[in-house]
Amino acid sequence: MITTLSQAPDSIVLEPGQSLRTSVEAGTWLQLAEGRARVVSPPGWFGETVFMTESLLEEGDMHRLPHGGWIEVSALTPVHLRVHAPKAPAMAAKTAAPALARPVMRFVRLLTGW
């Protein structure tokens, strides 16, 4: 069964065989809290050819989507996926300089949400 949503929820739970198609913004991070899933990236261009990449995520994996667009997440086992959308541009500009200087802090902020 494939479900389609126009905006990604913060948390996704899928049973084996279920798929979700949703739109994400550029810079979105996916965190697989539980299970095993296949993620198909938003379509991109290589020369004059459209392509999509597939990534296999295991429990605990993080996956960054550098380009916005429609993705498909398919559950291979029972899955709990967290979607971390990029912060609003005003907040990003305020914290950009310290985050770039300290990549570990940027990662901690991404995980904790502040």
Side-chain angles (χ1 to χ4, degrees):
M1 178 175 89
I2 297 176
T3 304
T4 303
L5 299 174
S6 60
Q7 184 176 1
D10 292 339
S11 183
I12 300 168
V13 177
L14 297 173
E15 294 298 320
Q18 288 184 318
S19 295
L20 172 73
R21 287 185 187 141
T22 187
S23 177
V24 295
E25 296 178 32
T28 297
W29 285 86
L30 303 177
Q31 177 187 16
L32 194 62
E34 177 184 330
R36 197 166 162 227
R38 180 179 59 93
V39 177
V40 178
S41 72
W45 288 94
F46 184 71
E48 295 182 9
T49 305
V50 175
F51 73 96
M52 295 179 288
T53 59
E54 290 186 15
S55 301
L56 184 62
L57 300 181
E58 302 284 341
E59 190 168 317
D61 285 352
M62 296 281 293
H63 181 70
R64 183 175 183 273
L65 298 161
H67 306 288
W70 288 86
I71 63 167
E72 182 176 322
V73 178
S74 300
L76 303 174
T77 63
V79 166
H80 181 202
L81 181 76
R82 293 188 183 112
V83 179
H84 302 279
K87 295 186 185 262
M91 185 63 154
K94 183 178 171 184
T95 62
L100 290 175
R102 301 181 341 196
V104 172
M105 270 311 289
R106 181 174 175 268
F107 183 68
V108 169
R109 285 185 182 144
L110 174 70
L111 292 177
T112 60
W114 55 268

